[in-house]
Amino acid sequence: MTQKRISLTRYLVEQQRTNGLIPANLRLLLEVVARACKRISIAVNHGALGEVLGSAESENVQGEVQKKLDIIANEVLIEANEWGGHLAAMASEEMDNIYAVPNRYPQGEYLLLFDPLDGSSNIDVNVSIGTIFSVLKKPEGGADVSVQDFLQTGSRQVAAGYCIYGPQTTLVLTVGNGVAMFTLDREQGSWVLTSENVQIPVDTKEFAVNMSNMRHWAPPVKRYVDECLQGTEGPRGKDFNMRWIASMVADVHRILTRGGIFMYPWDKREPDKPGKLRLMYEANPMGWIVEQAGGAATNGHQRILDIAPEKLHQRVSVILGSKNEVERVTSYHQA
Ligand code: AHM
Ligand code: MG
């Protein structure tokens, strides 16, 4: 018996037909992003053979050294998306300013934000990395697109997703109707639906955090991790396992698959920064995906998706994953 294979295109068409969630231009946008991810996946796979590894010897707006693949992935996403007429502008973790669609192309109504290659420190060591993206609608009125148009809360996203380049290449997507996963069929060159209605278990015995920063954390985060480490003898009454891949995409993907909690909290190495991760390119899309899978995402004080952004490259403290655990850490911040 042959199994019925549902392609990304068919999934998007059906979402549009039955739920009215995806206007034609949003569908085009998502298909173009998925195609760009396919190209990035090929470049990642070539590795040393494609001369894509190593540093580009440049820095991004946050002062981080860029890898060659960071720049390649950024260019692939821009080139793929600028001409289709579906976008007004793009913003990327790797670009100082927004990229308005050039005048020679029609202007669309959507804004696309991305971290072209998340987990940069893992590129050269052949560990999973990914692309994270978020889609907003350009507010009505005002002819020219501006940074201000992007400064919307995560709750206004109309689509969000990521693509993980790991042992398999998987695209994970939400348009506000649950979370679906598509695996890249390399022979056919197509995305095939492999999981629908993904649900994160509400409880977990697995946490993900960079433990080397423990001495710099705030007391609520220290308390939570300390209680996990005490295992069966402590207040939690169970043993916990720990994972830290240092690629948010890979840690979040594991959590979507089998539960867990991920934290990159504020720490006092750089006390004036709210955290390491970026609100618009990482926390908002991942926060919405996790919520759509029945999990929760906060900065310890409020829901990530309710944070009103003040800056494009704004950073944020992130706690996300299994609902009961996220609520526990968040409640420790109120105590
Ligand atoms: P990047 O976007 O520059 O790759 O940085 C984000 C990454 C996340 O994917 C990951 O969770 C975190 O940085 C790891 O940080 P650290 O090396 O401090 O553990
Ligand atoms: Mg990143």
Side-chain angles (χ1 to χ4, degrees):
M1 209 175 81
T2 52
Q3 225 186 331
K4 190 176 83 172
R5 284 164 58 113
I6 297 179
S7 65
L8 174 66
T9 303
R10 179 163 172 186
Y11 174 86
L12 294 175
V13 167
E14 284 175 359
Q15 287 292 317
Q16 184 173 357
R17 230 178 252 157
T18 47
N19 303 310
L21 282 169
I22 312 186
N25 268 334
L26 181 55
R27 195 179 96 212
L28 173 64
L29 189 166
L30 294 172
E31 295 220 49
V32 171
V33 170
R35 207 176 308 139
C37 289
K38 228 188 281 181
R39 283 188 56 196
I40 297 169
S41 169
I42 290 166
V44 167
N45 269 256
H46 281 159
L49 300 177
E51 293 177 11
V52 294
L53 302 184
S55 165
E57 276 154 29
S58 54
E59 280 188 0
N60 67 13
V61 64
Q62 16 249 325
E64 298 158 338
V65 176
Q66 292 174 306
K67 298 286 172 83
K68 284 185 196 157
L69 266 173
D70 284 323
I71 294 176
I72 294 169
N74 196 61
E75 281 171 5
V76 166
L77 281 156
I78 289 178
E79 275 171 32
N81 278 287
E82 65 179 356
W83 51 268
H86 50 281
L87 281 185
M90 293 175 251
S92 161
E93 191 180 299
E94 300 300 339
M95 298 189 296
D96 299 9
N97 301 314
I98 62 167
Y99 180 91
V101 164
N103 286 338
R104 61 184 181 278
Y105 301 121
Q107 297 274 321
E109 57 186 323
Y110 293 104
L111 305 172
L112 175 65
L113 301 95
F114 46 82
D115 176 356
L117 212 53
D118 177 62
S120 297
S121 72
N122 281 323
I123 295 175
D124 294 347
V125 292
N126 204 355
V127 171
S128 299
I129 46 181
T131 298
I132 311 174
F133 63 92
S134 161
V135 184
L136 294 165
K137 266 191 107 168
K138 178 177 176 283
E140 309 233 319
D144 289 338
V145 62
S146 69
V147 173
Q148 198 56 36
D149 294 332
F150 283 83
L151 303 182
Q152 306 181 39
T153 59
S155 58
R156 300 184 67 90
Q157 292 172 102
V158 293
Y162 66 83
C163 181
I164 177 167
Y165 313 111
Q168 302 110 43
T169 294
T170 308
L171 181 75
V172 176
L173 182 69
T174 186
V175 288
N177 182 32
V179 176
M181 294 186 181
F182 303 84
T183 303
L184 181 60
D185 177 335
R186 286 190 185 276
E187 282 79 50
Q188 309 268 348
S190 61
W191 295 102
V192 182
L193 181 67
T194 40
S195 274
E196 220 177 343
N197 297 323
V198 174
Q199 287 295 316
I200 301 173
V202 292
D203 292 303
T204 183
K205 290 163 133 183
E206 200 160 59
F207 66 90
V209 69
N210 185 337
M211 288 291 289
S212 67
N213 298 325
M214 188 162 195
R215 69 188 188 286
H216 306 297
W217 295 336
V221 177
K222 259 189 195 149
R223 173 183 168 193
Y224 173 78
V225 173
D226 193 50
E227 289 178 359
C228 293
L229 295 178
Q230 290 176 55
T232 47
E233 289 120 61
R236 303 302 309 274
K238 57 182 181 181
D239 289 333
F240 279 76
N241 187 21
M242 194 205 92
R243 287 285 183 274
W244 184 250
I245 301 175
S247 284
M248 188 191 200
V249 275
D251 281 311
V252 168
H253 197 69
R254 184 189 59 257
I255 289 170
L256 284 173
T257 309
R258 68 176 189 213
I261 179 169
F262 168 95
M263 295 187 285
Y264 211 120
W266 169 91
D267 69 53
K268 53 177 192 282
R269 285 173 301 171
E270 290 185 281
D272 298 339
K273 281 191 189 153
K276 175 182 180 183
L277 300 178
R278 272 98 349 178
L279 176 64
M280 310 294 286
Y281 315 110
E282 295 166 325
N284 273 343
M286 291 308 206
W288 195 31
I289 291 167
V290 164
E291 282 196 4
Q292 283 289 312
T298 78
N299 65 355
H301 301 282
Q302 68 180 133
R303 190 175 166 236
I304 295 275
L305 299 189
D306 288 338
I307 298 173
E310 287 164 11
K311 288 188 297 195
L312 200 56
H313 296 291
Q314 186 164 328
R315 297 184 188 249
V316 66
S317 181
V318 176
I319 302 162
L320 59 75
S322 291
K323 200 161 195 250
N324 290 343
E325 295 298 308
V326 174
E327 284 175 358
R328 177 180 285 268
V329 188
T330 308
S331 74
Y332 288 2
H333 283 79
Q334 322 322 318

